[in-house]
């Protein structure tokens, strides 16, 4: 057993460590005025809600980086309209929208009112390039997206803000859209209730009510983004530390990197082992942990911290990692990855109603790692990625769609390096098995103790295509490589 930090009921050791550092950072920034805590978010079973540290205006002003403003971005929501006079229980089985000359956007998705109802049908979209004025070919949007989300019966999962949604699709710089949504056939639109509380419409179901098209503008990049050969995170900061939320998000990583950093630097094995001892106390026996990889922080990819809910929510430990694909398509360059992440973040929060981006980490096709949900990359942050199995796990999403496309070796290596380090912080063997208790889903009922690979694919916890057939086939390589990085 490893030595632990001083015990705080319900708070992971790493979370406990960082809370003090966050407070210390805030006080150092503003010694003249004491910090006050924000209201804590509602806690859920086996999870602790920790408020972000509030920082007085004087501190925020002092921490502002001159010349750096928050990336603006926007979300436009447009109601779909019937495309035929046909009606099924008052609803049209085919709906859509055509618009040109719009404000620029780069990501699209379709949402609807009831998150417990699945869209049984097909969603197709084409877009007009804002650069060339040419229309793209028709593309399918993944409709089965309910399996990504907060666990049932949690504050986030039961929020009235949550909506049903397709996966988002990255379309690049566009100013026109043509979308078609078609139900599988006429029907009553009710559907059988799944163990998780989700409903899957029976064949012949009508479309769910309240369909809307979401057009997401990730905001303008700054120097370096979009320029080949300039790795994300190496350019100047995209956001200023001028709000309480931005200060808190940066301070959550202050236990392992400089405050305000745009990237957490990689460490060699010796330095990583020293860091492990500093974070968790003396380790008995050989420390099985991989060298810490470089990770672009939320500030590095330009997260607008005002979008997410205040405070952070932690689970007790990290016992497993679930690998996902974002299903956003593969038509992005690595230099565009920060824009793709900002778009997914905005879609998860503004369109779907989640408290923050759902994934704990993201990986682009060039193998660059990015911090996802706020709260600290070394901590057990509760995500919304694998319905029923978010507690005591982390979610890693490879940006792209990997049903028929093979993931890059760089992305698979990045997964191995990240899991070797992060799982090593919590004593988990990447090549081993573990038990997680289901929060409810279509594979395992709520309360069932399930034996899983420590590195699992999303489909291992929920009946879904995610993370795609080709990426799922590479998880064995990721497991063995991660174990090797740990020195096993």
């Amino acid at each position: 057993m490893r030595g632990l930090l001083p015990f705080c009921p319900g708070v992971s050791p790493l979370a406990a460590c960082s809370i003090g550092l966050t407070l210390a950072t805030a006080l150092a920034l503003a010694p003249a005025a004491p910090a006050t805590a924000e209201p804590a978010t509602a806690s859920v079973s086996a999870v602790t809600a920790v408020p972000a540290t509030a920082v007085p205006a004087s501190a925020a002003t002092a921490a502002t980086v001159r010349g750096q403003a928050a990336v603006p971005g926007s979300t436009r929501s447009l109601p779909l309209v019937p495309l035929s006079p046909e009606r099924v229980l008052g609803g049209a089985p085919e709906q859509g929208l055509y618009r040109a000359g719009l404000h620029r956007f780069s990501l699209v998705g379709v949402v609807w009112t009831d998150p417990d109802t699945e869209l049984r049908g097909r969603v197709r979209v084409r877009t007009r390039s804002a650069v060339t004025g040419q229309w793209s070919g028709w593309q399918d949007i993944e409709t089965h997206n309910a399996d990504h989300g907060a666990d049932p019966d949690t504050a986030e999962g039961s929020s009235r803000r949550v909506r049903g949604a397709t996966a988002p699709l990255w379309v690049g710089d566009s100013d026109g859209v043509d979308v078609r949504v078609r139900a599988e056939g006429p029907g009553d639109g009710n559907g059988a209730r799944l163990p998780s509380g989700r409903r899957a419409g029976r064949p012949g179901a009508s479309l769910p009510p309240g369909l809307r098209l979401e057009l997401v503008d990730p905001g303008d990049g700054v120097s370096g983004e979009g320029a080949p050969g300039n790795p994300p995170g190496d350019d100047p900061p995209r956001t200023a530390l001028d709000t309480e939320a931005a200060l808190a998000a940066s301070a959550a990583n202050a236990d392992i990197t400089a405050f305000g950093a745009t990237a957490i630097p990689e460490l060699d094995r010796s330095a990583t082992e020293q860091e492990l001892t500093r974070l968790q106390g003396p380790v008995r026996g050989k420390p099985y942990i991989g060298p810490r990889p470089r990770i672009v922080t939320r500030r590095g990819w330009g997260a607008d911290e005002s979008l997410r809910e205040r405070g952070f929510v932690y689970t007790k430990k990290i016992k497993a990692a679930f690998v996902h694909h974002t299903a956003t398509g593969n038509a992005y360059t690595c230099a565009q990855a920060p824009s793709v992440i900002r778009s997914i973040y905005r879609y998860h929060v503004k369109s779907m109603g989640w408290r923050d981006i759902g994934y704990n980490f993201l990986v682009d096709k060039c193998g660059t790692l990015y911090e996802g949900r706020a709260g600290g990359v070394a901590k057990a942050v509760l995500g919304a990625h694998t319905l029923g199995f978010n507690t005591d796990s982390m979610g890693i999403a490879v940006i792209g769609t990997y049903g028929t496309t093979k993931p890059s070796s760089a992305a698979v290596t990045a997964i191995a390096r990240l899991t070797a380090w992060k799982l090593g912080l919590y004593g988990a063997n990447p090549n081993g098995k573990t038990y997680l208790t289901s929060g409810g889903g279509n594979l395992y009922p709520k309360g069932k103790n399930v034996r899983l690979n420590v590195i699992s694919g999303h489909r291992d916890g929920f009946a879904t295509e995610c993370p795609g057939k080709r990426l799922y086939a590479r998880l064995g390589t990721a497991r063995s490589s991660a174990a090797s990085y740990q020195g096993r």
Side-chain angles (χ1 to χ4, degrees):
M1 292 290 293
R2 289 176 173 161
L4 298 177
L5 293 171
F7 179 70
C8 179
V11 181
S12 72
L14 289 171
C17 174
S18 69
I19 293 170
L21 284 167
T22 301
L23 290 170
T25 302
L27 291 173
L29 287 170
T36 57
E38 296 179 1
T41 53
S43 62
V44 296
S45 177
V47 175
T48 299
V50 179
T53 304
V55 181
S58 59
T61 301
T64 300
V65 179
R66 294 181 180 179
Q68 299 296 333
V71 178
S74 65
T75 301
R76 186 170 186 181
S77 184
L78 303 172
L80 300 189
V81 299
L83 297 180
S84 71
E86 183 183 0
R87 291 292 184 273
V88 179
L89 292 181
E94 185 173 11
Q95 298 179 35
L97 191 70
Y98 174 89
R99 290 285 182 87
L102 293 167
H103 175 76
R104 291 188 174 192
F105 60 91
S106 296
L107 181 139
V108 301
V110 173
V111 302
W112 53 93
T113 305
D114 185 2
D116 291 337
T117 301
E118 186 176 350
L119 191 159
R120 301 278 298 188
R122 188 179 188 186
V123 179
R124 305 185 75 204
V125 66
R126 65 188 185 116
T127 54
R128 189 177 74 174
S129 169
V131 178
T132 67
Q134 299 297 311
W135 285 89
S136 70
W138 287 96
Q139 299 183 76
D140 283 294
I141 297 180
E142 175 60 59
T143 60
H144 302 291
N145 194 45
D147 47 338
H148 294 79
D151 289 350
D153 302 324
T154 63
E156 183 175 9
S158 58
S159 168
R160 293 184 178 181
R161 297 187 303 275
V162 177
R163 304 177 187 91
T166 67
L169 178 69
W170 175 260
V171 294
D173 194 5
S174 305
D175 63 4
V177 65
D178 191 2
V179 63
R180 299 286 182 268
V181 182
R182 176 73 187 180
E184 288 186 341
D188 59 14
N190 290 323
R193 186 167 291 277
L194 298 170
S196 66
R198 305 289 195 217
R199 285 197 298 272
R202 295 193 296 268
S206 61
L207 294 173
L211 288 171
R212 302 184 70 88
L213 175 67
E214 303 290 293
L215 304 175
V216 180
D217 168 21
D220 295 331
V222 297
S223 59
E225 189 169 323
N230 193 351
D234 288 345
D235 49 8
R238 297 184 178 89
T239 55
L241 292 173
D242 57 358
T243 66
E244 291 182 9
L247 286 163
S250 191
N253 286 316
D255 51 352
I256 62 171
T257 194
F259 182 80
T262 57
I264 296 166
E266 63 180 328
L267 297 179
D268 61 21
R269 179 174 299 278
S270 175
T272 301
E273 292 176 355
Q274 292 175 23
E275 180 180 76
L276 176 64
T277 300
R278 177 173 57 79
L279 292 174
Q280 295 200 356
V283 177
R284 296 180 182 178
K286 177 179 173 60
Y288 291 107
I289 186 169
R292 188 181 75 192
R294 178 182 181 273
I295 303 170
V296 177
T297 65
R298 289 171 64 90
R299 189 175 182 225
W301 55 259
D304 180 352
E305 300 295 352
S306 69
L307 296 179
R308 63 174 174 83
E309 286 188 17
R310 301 167 73 181
F312 312 123
V313 183
Y314 297 99
T315 185
K316 290 183 177 179
K317 62 183 71 173
I318 300 296
K319 298 171 64 178
F322 285 97
V323 177
H324 305 257
H325 66 173
T326 60
T328 47
N330 303 310
Y332 73 94
T333 66
C334 293
Q336 291 175 323
S339 290
V340 179
I341 297 171
R342 291 198 300 274
S343 298
I344 295 172
Y345 170 45
R346 182 172 280 275
Y347 187 74
H348 282 183
V349 177
K350 302 295 288 185
S351 301
M352 298 181 67
W354 295 356
R355 73 184 319 271
D356 194 352
I357 192 170
Y359 309 113
N360 297 105
F361 297 92
L362 298 99
V363 185
D364 68 24
K365 63 179 70 174
C366 290
T368 301
L369 290 163
Y370 302 86
E371 177 184 15
R373 181 161 287 205
V377 300
K379 305 175 187 62
V381 178
L382 180 72
H385 49 83
T386 305
L387 184 68
F389 290 101
N390 291 301
T391 297
D392 293 341
S393 73
M394 67 176 181
I396 307 166
V398 181
I399 303 172
T401 304
Y402 297 101
T404 58
T405 300
K406 183 180 179 181
S408 68
S409 295
V412 177
T413 298
I415 293 170
R417 294 195 64 199
L418 174 63
T419 51
W421 171 69
K422 184 66 180 280
L423 292 172
L425 290 174
Y426 294 87
N429 180 354
N431 234 351
K433 303 279 188 177
T434 191
Y435 283 91
L436 294 177
T437 302
S438 173
N442 62 2
L443 278 182
Y444 304 104
K446 182 177 180 179
K448 182 175 179 60
N449 205 26
V450 183
R451 189 168 186 257
L452 295 162
N453 288 312
V454 169
I455 298 179
S456 286
H458 187 179
R459 63 176 62 183
D460 295 322
F462 198 98
T464 175
E465 291 298 314
C466 184
K469 180 179 179 180
R470 301 298 295 273
L471 178 54
Y472 188 78
R474 298 298 306 278
L475 295 189
T477 299
R479 293 184 193 105
S480 59
S481 296
S484 178
Y485 286 132
Q486 283 192 349
R488 294 182 185 272

